[in-house]
Amino acid sequence: MSSSQFILAISIILILLIIPAIVALAVRHFIRDEEPDEDEIAQIEPPLQFDSLRDFWESNVPHLIELRDRLIKAVAGVLLGTMVGSYVVFAQPFGFSLIDFLAAHFLQTSKLEGSLQAVEVAEFFVSSMGVAIAIGIAIAMPIIIYQIVAFFAPGLYAREKRIVFTALPFVLELFLAGLVFGWFFTVPAAINFLVTFGSWSQAVEIKPTVSDFLGIITRLMLWNGVIFEMPAVIFLLARIGVVSLETLRSTRRYAFVIIVIIAAFITPTGDPYNLLLMALPMYALYEMGILLARLVPRPSADAAAQPSSGG
């Protein structure tokens, strides 16, 4: 990576990360949370009591039906996005092959000469479809996130709903920041390590296959996008009162262990290099989430003075 590309990548990532922090800071100074009134509390259904397993099942059928509908809409969004991705991959509307562009970019960053090889007959087609599906998931991410939020929204107060739906654009923005980070840093570093690991051996010639090469790229790119949403998720949980700043601080050591386990699951191999390559940015994002949690607005003076309505 040239110095100009490095500066460009860092600038884009910092801008995409700083904007949510600035908005959270502005919200802290200009907005004060208000406790829900009695009418709003009454609209939230109390926990149900079940006399039998049949009552439990029948009471949850409407929720399961809604969950099914939400999943169908999310899958439909992925299918529509995959259609767009297939058009980009196979029709080449930009005048060049996207597969050739991906291969050339990451082969160049890994300093691996030559080209990819397809061993199986259907390998190139299946790999191309994998790239199209990854593009479809990235395009459908707004729909997926919205359907997840909309499923849990009925159990939130009006204030909490406004918070969650207002934060959706920043969740998507951080997903884009993760894609940029993966494109310039995580994926090139991981591929460079993997393809050059056996360079000292005279008996082994490293010739990546299309399926393995593109599979690693798409998987790491999507995981980077999901991981970069962590600060926004932590801020939202702290904003609606699910977690507190003190809890986040006190569970740092446990969070680090969980992050390492998740990173081991995400990385294409179990080597320490790729593990740390994913775990360290993830923990840095966790710390950024704690920083954003510090910016959660304080309750208004009137709301703080009111006695709790709980029993």
Side-chain angles (χ1 to χ4, degrees), residues 20-33 163 166 170 235 239 295-298:
I22 294 175
V23 173
L25 183 62
V27 169
R28 176 181 174 84
H29 286 284
F30 296 105
I31 296 179
R32 292 294 182 267
D33 286 346
I163 294 170
T166 303
F170 301 106
F235 176 77
R239 187 79 165 81
L295 303 179
V296 170
R298 297 178 297 273

Side-chain angles (χ1 to χ4, degrees), residues 105-124:
H105 174 75
F106 290 109
L107 286 174
Q108 181 181 6
T109 55
S110 62
K111 299 180 176 58
L112 186 66
E113 298 180 356
S115 58
L116 304 177
Q117 58 177 344
V119 179
E120 300 177 357
V121 176
E123 182 175 351
F124 184 70

Side-chain angles (χ1 to χ4, degrees), residues 120-265:
E120 300 177 357
V121 176
E123 182 175 351
F124 184 70
F125 172 77
V126 174
S127 301
S128 300
M129 281 302 304
V131 174
I133 293 173
I135 295 175
I137 295 174
I139 294 176
M141 190 57 63
I143 300 176
I144 296 173
I145 295 175
Y146 176 80
Q147 295 303 325
I148 294 174
V149 171
F151 176 74
F152 294 101
L156 302 176
Y157 294 117
R159 175 185 65 85
E160 296 171 338
K161 292 179 183 179
R162 289 194 299 269
I163 294 170
V164 172
F165 285 106
T166 303
L168 282 181
F170 301 106
V171 174
L172 302 176
E173 180 190 64
L174 292 175
F175 179 81
L176 178 60
L179 296 182
V180 175
F181 184 82
W183 178 267
F184 285 102
F185 297 102
T186 307
V187 179
I191 292 179
N192 183 59
F193 174 82
L194 294 175
V195 301
T196 59
F197 178 77
S199 59
W200 43 267
S201 175
Q202 300 295 327
V204 177
E205 181 183 5
I206 300 177
K207 293 284 292 183
T209 62
V210 175
S211 60
D212 185 54
F213 195 81
L214 295 180
I216 290 176
I217 293 173
T218 54
R219 185 165 65 251
L220 287 180
M221 288 285 290
L222 288 177
W223 274 119
N224 272 273
V226 173
I227 288 169
F228 263 67
E229 295 177 351
M230 187 187 303
V233 173
I234 293 176
F235 176 77
L236 281 176
L237 294 177
R239 187 79 165 81
I240 63 179
V242 176
V243 297
S244 64
L245 180 61
E246 292 73 18
T247 302
L248 294 172
R249 286 174 172 173
S250 62
T251 56
R252 274 192 173 104
R253 65 183 69 179
Y254 307 107
F256 182 77
V257 174
I258 295 174
I259 285 172
V260 171
I261 295 174
I262 295 175
F265 173 76

